[in-house]
Amino acid sequence: MAASPRSSRPHIVLFPFMSKGHTIPLLHLARLLLHRNTTVTIFTTLANKPFISDSLSDTDASIVELPFPQNIDAVPAGVESTDKLPSMSLFVPFANATKLMQPNFERSLEILPNVICIISDGFLGWTQQSAAEFGIPRLVFYGWNNYSQTICRSIVVYSLLSGPELDDEPIVMTNFPWIKLTRNDFDEPFNSREPKGTHMDFIIEQAITTSKSYGQVVNSFYELEPLYVEYWNRAWEPKVWCIGPFCLAESVKSDPQYHQKPTWLQWLDKQLAQGSSVLYVAFGSQAEISSQQLREIVVGLEASKVNFLWVTRKSESELDDGFEERVKERGLVVREWVDQRAILGHESVRGFLSHCGWNSVLESVCAKVPILAWPMMAEQHLNAQMVVEEIKVGLRVETSNGLVKGFVKSEGLEKMVRELMEGETGKEARVSIMQGLVCNFVNALAA
Ligand code: UDP
Ligand code: UDP
């Protein structure tokens, strides 16, 4: 298709929420839109601009920066993304603070030509009002899948959480009797019989603004979760469109594109040359892991004898002085920002110990790497359930009390790491991810 002049192209505004997990997929979407001959403008804050400009440096996407409100409740000055928050308990004040960006957003919107659509995060519900004032349709992006969204809507609409007496008793899932969940599979604020409080108020407020929008775009694909896409579109509004996996919009950076290969890539190459299989370990950009739990990870990984690449923000002394030296023949700990898709796509990587953030799950599915699921917060517990029970591409870590949210001891971790890498059930998950329906779809997309 011949490119039309920039000035006459349809213009799409993207406004990602300020966290890596919500921003990265929308940057992939920006690429997809640019390929379709549209003009793309991305709104963000000063502190988040460098990451976005670096990611899209090879495109002609424009970035508009808006000041982030200062002196708001407990949000420390200068913190402009949730991954920089001292604790996720500050999520609601942080998200509410974004509402003060509305006048500046609208002033900037006023001077943008030909805007036909605003795609903004579900947590930026106030952008719906701006879209309505300008008569522009808004599409909502939540960063999660149809399975988790449908479950969360069902438990609220049908008050399913109030059924069981105990937190580990099965919830009767109206319309989805095969889904085995307990209140323990939910995180704050959905983990009580009657969810309420400021977090719940925030979620309901966002759900109401979402319902006024034109529709939702979901980073997923129909073949992965057809029942839930269809259920949602039959039962509720606004309509969802599955237009993912967004990560396939961009090819993984190949060797010649690196000026110098990063250490972790050189290390993976070495493992491949030696014929070793590597477990990739990463818990995303938000997880809060206690020092006690960290200690069990260190001991479990060391005892498992598997080769591993662990990406963490924790310092050497936090992990256990001497650990890295002791495992250096077979384990590498990395503290920089990595290209996770390059790791998952590396031939040596045969398993992923993951917190099941939705981007990580999709990236693993696309790279055909089975998952050892260790959900930590938000809807990650539901994603883990989906990984293991629905799409059957992984196993779960074993907790010491047998409950989904329990403490994981080193022995439980060691056992399941070995099971994923060498055991029978690990093999089944690998076969399913390499040969299943999902794989056929990913192959067709990538072709
Ligand atoms: N990611 C990355 N490099 C890192 C850490 C994370 O590329 O060093 C990416 C990862 O590939 C994924 C996103 O950051 O696309 C994290 O999103 P996810 O939903 O997995 O987890 P969250 O961080 O939101 O908990
Ligand atoms: N969420 C959570 N704890 C859970 C499950 C979901 O905090 O146990 C979060 C989830 O990450 C999502 C948010 O709840 O970002 C939105 O849920 P909502 O009910 O608003 O979705 P909707 O009704 O719009 O489909």
Side-chain angles (χ1 to χ4, degrees):
M1 196 184 353
S4 50
R6 197 179 151 84
S7 59
S8 65
R9 288 183 215 161
H11 192 160
I12 296 184
V13 162
L14 298 181
F15 202 152
F17 188 70
M18 301 84 178
S19 70
K20 293 286 186 301
H22 286 236
T23 300
I24 292 170
L26 281 191
L27 301 185
H28 291 312
L29 180 61
R31 259 171 213 284
L32 288 172
L33 294 169
L34 288 164
H35 284 146
R36 297 292 176 105
N37 225 353
T38 57
T39 301
V40 171
T41 298
I42 300 166
F43 280 79
T44 191
T45 53
L46 182 65
N48 294 310
K49 193 178 169 188
F51 180 78
I52 297 180
S53 351
D54 279 358
S55 307
L56 295 177
S57 59
D58 59 326
T59 74
D60 63 356
S62 309
I63 305 172
V64 175
E65 70 191 51
L66 301 176
F68 189 80
Q70 296 296 317
N71 306 320
I72 302 298
D73 287 345
V75 179
V79 170
E80 298 192 357
S81 61
T82 53
D83 38 305
K84 299 275 184 322
L85 277 177
S87 155
M88 278 309 275
S89 61
L90 296 175
F91 170 76
V92 176
F94 178 90
N96 275 325
T98 66
K99 294 174 183 168
L100 299 172
M101 296 164 82
Q102 188 171 346
N104 284 323
F105 175 57
E106 292 178 8
R107 266 192 288 278
S108 303
L109 205 52
E110 217 162 46
I111 52 172
L112 291 184
N114 300 342
V115 178
I116 56 153
C117 177
I118 296 173
I119 305 179
S120 58
D121 197 281
F123 291 154
L124 302 173
W126 52 268
T127 55
Q128 173 57 35
Q129 202 180 6
S130 310
E133 275 164 29
F134 284 79
I136 304 169
R138 171 190 179 223
L139 288 170
V140 182
F141 170 75
Y142 266 107
W144 62 352
N145 51 56
N146 299 283
Y147 173 81
S148 303
Q149 160 151 293
T150 303
I151 290 175
C152 284
R153 178 60 65 91
S154 292
I155 57 162
V156 173
V157 170
Y158 303 115
S159 304
L160 303 181
L161 293 170
S162 61
E165 282 295 317
L166 304 172
D167 286 347
D168 61 344
E169 220 175 278
I171 294 172
V172 178
M173 292 294 299
T174 317
N175 300 323
F176 310 107
W178 62 89
I179 303 182
K180 304 275 174 272
L181 293 171
T182 66
R183 272 201 298 274
N184 274 329
D185 288 283
F186 294 86
D187 197 9
E188 219 272 309
F190 292 104
N191 54 352
S192 70
R193 294 186 83 167
E194 281 177 66
K196 51 178 181 282
T198 50
H199 194 173
M200 197 61 201
D201 293 345
F202 176 77
I203 285 178
I204 290 171
E205 183 188 347
Q206 305 310 310
I208 292 170
T209 52
T210 296
S211 69
K212 294 179 183 157
S213 71
Y214 187 78
Q216 298 187 67
V217 285
V218 182
N219 185 13
S220 184
F221 51 101
Y222 177 84
E223 288 75 0
L224 192 64
E225 38 175 359
L227 279 177
Y228 304 98
V229 181
E230 285 185 10
Y231 185 89
W232 179 282
N233 280 339
R234 243 191 346 262
W236 294 312
E237 290 189 314
K239 183 177 159 80
V240 300
W241 283 279
C242 292
I243 54 171
F246 294 166
C247 62
L248 294 180
E250 194 175 351
S251 52
V252 173
K253 226 173 171 186
S254 59
D255 289 353
Q257 283 172 275
Y258 283 112
H259 297 302
Q260 198 195 349
K261 270 195 195 184
T263 342
W264 46 265
L265 193 50
Q266 294 178 27
W267 186 84
L268 287 176
D269 286 347
K270 197 170 125 207
Q271 301 303 310
L272 185 63
Q274 291 170 353
S276 311
S277 294
V278 175
L279 172 77
Y280 171 47
V281 183
F283 305 112
S285 57
Q286 306 277 188
E288 290 166 10
I289 302 174
S290 70
S291 50
Q292 245 184 329
Q293 188 59 90
L294 206 58
R295 168 99 200 116
E296 301 295 325
I297 301 176
V298 165
V299 177
L301 282 179
E302 192 167 351
S304 73
K305 305 269 190 314
V306 305
N307 293 28
F308 65 88
L309 171 61
W310 181 5
V311 176
T312 175
R313 315 281 154 222
K314 303 282 181 182
S315 67
E316 196 165 349
S317 60
E318 280 174 289
L319 291 193
D320 169 1
D321 282 325
F323 165 67
E324 285 165 60
E325 182 58 28
R326 289 197 302 278
V327 296
K328 72 170 187 247
E329 293 306 320
R330 61 177 180 88
L332 181 69
V333 179
V334 178
R335 294 187 172 80
E336 69 205 65
W337 182 263
V338 296
D339 182 348
Q340 175 162 299
R341 291 195 308 127
I343 293 178
L344 286 167
H346 196 276
E347 257 185 275
S348 63
V349 174
R350 306 241 308 150
F352 184 10
L353 172 55
S354 170
H355 70 312
C356 291
W358 182 238
N359 297 299
S360 291
V361 171
L362 262 188
E363 288 162 12
S364 210
V365 165
C366 290
K368 305 187 187 98
V369 174
I371 297 170
L372 180 55
W374 187 351
M376 310 243 161
M377 54 179 268
E379 88 290 3
Q380 292 157 14
H381 305 278
L382 303 176
N383 295 344
Q385 184 81 1
M386 180 184 183
V387 161
V388 178
E389 303 294 340
E390 293 271 325
I391 52 176
K392 302 190 191 316
V393 294
L395 321 174
R396 249 183 200 269
V397 287
E398 201 173 87
T399 57
S400 54
N401 60 4
L403 300 179
V404 284
K405 241 185 247 161
F407 188 74
V408 176
K409 289 221 172 116
S410 61
E411 299 83 13
L413 185 64
E414 177 196 341
K415 178 178 153 200
M416 293 315 291
V417 158
R418 281 186 194 237
E419 188 58 32
L420 180 78
M421 299 301 279
E422 299 152 8
E424 236 357 85
T425 48
K427 203 161 141 193
E428 282 164 21
R430 190 161 294 112
V431 168
S432 148
I433 207 167
M434 304 287 285
Q435 295 171 6
L437 187 75
V438 169
C439 167
N440 293 342
F441 179 79
V442 171
N443 285 346
L445 269 187

